Amino acid sequence: KGGNAIDAAVAAGLTLGVVDGHNSGIGGGCFMLLRLADGRFVAIDGRETAPAGATHDLFVRNGKADTRLSQTGPLAIAVPGELAAFDHAVQRYGRKKLKDLLLPAAELAAEGFVINEEYASRLRSVADDLARFDAARAIFFRDGRPLQAGERLCQPDLAATYRAIAAEGIGWFYRGPFARVTAEWMAENGGLITARDFARY
């Protein structure tokens, strides 16, 4: 549709955020290594960053590191960089608009897809962690248990997020409603990320 390999990579990355969310997604980070048509290489660092309020002993309790705090829950979350990296790559080196790459993935998130046994197994392996959060249960559970192979996973909130970014640009995510709502959730649940952390990414 008139794009180049960089557009295709971003489109694939956004789609992976829908169908392979345990490995990829705009809630996390990424690195991109591009080889341009003239032979130059470009590296884009979209890695997550720690919130400004993080300290060196953030995950230490009673003198010992508590790895669960760094893996699950509000303290485990860093300021996401994938979306900023994708936007930068497309604006500087792509041919398409980010909007054009977001909307097909948004449609897939809304319509859903049938999960396979590998996906179902991943859900089972983290079921106890997912069950701690109302939003995760609403998406990944049915009848009190994780989705099983052959069942459809629909992600309407992710679809709405992708569509809002497509309509408003990444400012909606980093400096607008998404950042504010995330900061409010963090404050209510013991996390550290603020709207300013998002805006400074």
Side-chain angles (χ1 to χ4, degrees):
K1 296 185 177 179
N4 61 17
I6 292 160
D7 299 309
V10 169
L14 292 166
T15 302
L16 285 171
V18 176
V19 301
D20 192 35
H22 45 274
N23 287 319
S24 184
I26 61 171
C30 73
F31 299 105
M32 296 185 75
L33 181 61
L34 316 178
R35 184 182 188 276
L36 305 182
D38 63 8
R40 287 181 298 140
F41 289 92
V42 174
I44 300 172
D45 181 353
R47 187 67 175 173
E48 309 93 325
T49 59
T55 62
H56 74 284
D57 59 352
L58 180 62
F59 306 118
V60 176
R61 298 295 182 270
N62 300 319
K64 294 179 66 177
D66 184 342
T67 56
R68 279 188 60 87
L69 295 174
S70 67
Q71 296 171 352
T72 304
L75 292 179
I77 303 166
V79 183
E82 182 180 279
L83 183 62
F86 284 172
D87 183 66
H88 179 80
V90 170
Q91 283 198 41
R92 290 287 301 273
Y93 308 106
R95 294 185 183 147
K96 306 285 286 180
K97 299 287 186 194
L98 185 64
K99 172 182 180 177
D100 300 325
L101 309 176
L102 279 159
L103 291 177
E107 185 175 339
L108 179 60
E111 290 181 1
F113 63 97
V114 175
I115 67 170
N116 61 18
E117 178 53 37
E118 180 183 354
Y119 199 112
S121 175
R122 294 277 181 116
L123 288 180
R124 287 192 301 272
S125 73
V126 294
D128 289 345
D129 290 331
L130 291 173
R132 293 173 48 197
F133 305 99
D134 293 341
R137 284 196 312 276
I139 297 167
F140 298 110
F141 279 53
R142 184 167 298 149
D143 301 325
R145 46 121 180 111
L147 290 172
Q148 298 176 1
E151 293 184 320
R152 181 171 293 272
L153 171 59
C154 296
Q155 299 169 83
D157 289 342
L158 180 58
T161 298
Y162 274 20
R163 288 172 177 151
I165 297 165
E168 304 290 334
I170 68 166
W172 179 90
F173 186 86
Y174 284 104
R175 293 176 298 282
F178 186 90
R180 288 193 297 271
V181 169
T182 301
E184 289 168 8
W185 186 92
M186 286 283 172
E188 293 167 1
N189 291 277
L192 297 177
I193 295 178
T194 65
R196 188 175 184 209
D197 290 321
F198 266 87
R200 293 177 66 183
Y201 188 90

